[in-house]
Amino acid sequence: MASFPTALGLSAEQTEDVVQQAGLAPSLHNSQPWRFRLSEQVIELHSDPRRRLPAADPADRELRLACGAALLNLRLALEHFGVRPVVALLPRLAGPTSLAELRSGGPATQAPEELALYQAIPKRRSNRRPFLENPVPAAHRHALAAAVRREQGSLRTMTRPELGSLEGLMHRAHRMQMADVRFRDELAKWTGRPKGAAEGVPAAAAGPLPEPQDQWVLRDFSGGQARVRVPGKDFESDPLMVVVCSNHDSRLDDLRAGQAMQRMLLTATALGLASSLLSAVVEVEETRDELRQLLGGGLYPQAVVRIGYGSPTPATPRRDLRELLIDD
Ligand SMILES: Cc1cc2nc3c(=O)[nH]c(=O)nc-3n(C[C@H](O)[C@H](O)[C@H](O)COP(=O)(O)O)c2cc1C
């Protein structure tokens, strides 16, 4: 097979690693909605419209969050190989799928904290299982908030009284989505995937079957194949639930929020914390708006994340790297 194409002065192996790290980002239903065009001068990040999820994400907001997460991985990987990335978001005059362009801004030395995030990329997982009751220490919570701030976002930690309202909103959003046959069909298509599938959520990573008493993890990602939970293995009673927010609600904000979300998820991974996203409440317009009011009305909620100490969960698959390249 021909060697991997090169970009920004990197070797073929380094360029391949950079694309691989980008492709390890989280995405709704593991849809992996990104593509890359490589040249010596620029790495272009594009959305892949064939991987849209119109029922869950009609405005492509979460698609851009996922691509923002891939962009953060690209930045960390480039720095790892000594290239300081200069990023242009939504470059003008580029085509409709173009989300970002990365060029070399000269040599870079990666700081130890950034190296820890680069090393966390392949270890991060969406963990849908019950977490331990152990609380997340305040220093860790501050580190998560700082990670989001660094990418121009805000992190809101839900207080106990707010958690009650959030739970109600989540259940309402879940019921509304499951009443929509288009949503159910889309979810069925992307979940409970057999071993060997390169996309979608495999049954092994789906977590246990949701049960009527469950407060937070309501979506079944296993296509009904997951095991019924061991009696007594309920979800943690006092979860750390955080919301990644942006100041505005534009396409640019989505890309920034995706980078903020990913920096927070990688920070959590590096601190030994597990995480999972719970998106129904921000996918249904009505409940997203109510969550926004609950948070004070100023910020736009982008991603709701449950964080804690969890048991290991298997990795989800990724597509062949060459399929991610735009080759023209
Ligand atoms: C924007 C976005 C929304 C997501 N929403 C959910 C969700 O509501 N529930 C869930 O269990 N996982 C959710 N996920 C996690 C994806 O299913 C997961 O990233 C994907 O299956 C890849 O697995 P990994 O994160 O373990 O690499 C979401 C991910 C992203 C980026």
Side-chain angles (χ1 to χ4, degrees), residues 7-9 37 39-45 71 74-75 78-79 82-92 94 98 100-107:
L8 309 191
R37 185 182 277 124
S39 71
E40 272 315 309
Q41 300 307 319
V42 58
I43 297 180
E44 296 174 21
L45 165 63
L71 174 58
L74 274 179
R75 288 168 47 201
L78 285 173
E79 268 204 352
V83 174
R84 189 168 73 80
V86 174
V87 180
L89 293 177
L90 298 177
R92 292 202 316 144
S98 176
E101 291 178 354
L102 295 91
R103 292 183 171 74
S104 170

Side-chain angles (χ1 to χ4, degrees), residues 10 13-14 17-18 76-83 108 110 118:
L10 300 174
E13 291 73 29
Q14 290 171 331
D17 185 88
V18 166
L76 290 169
L78 285 173
E79 268 204 352
H80 180 69
F81 292 117
V83 174
Q110 192 158 46
Y118 168 79

Side-chain angles (χ1 to χ4, degrees), residues 262-284:
Q262 179 69 351
R263 186 177 279 279
M264 186 198 69
L265 295 174
L266 294 177
T267 302
T269 305
L271 291 169
L273 293 166
S275 59
S276 72
L277 283 114
L278 298 163
S279 297
V281 66
V282 284
E283 285 168 354
V284 173

Side-chain angles (χ1 to χ4, degrees), residues 127 129-131 217 235-236 240-241 274-276 278 305-307:
N127 190 332
R129 297 176 177 182
F131 295 164
V217 181
F235 281 82
E236 64 277 16
L240 174 59
M241 207 68 84
S275 59
S276 72
L278 298 163
V305 190
R306 180 179 141 251
I307 295 184

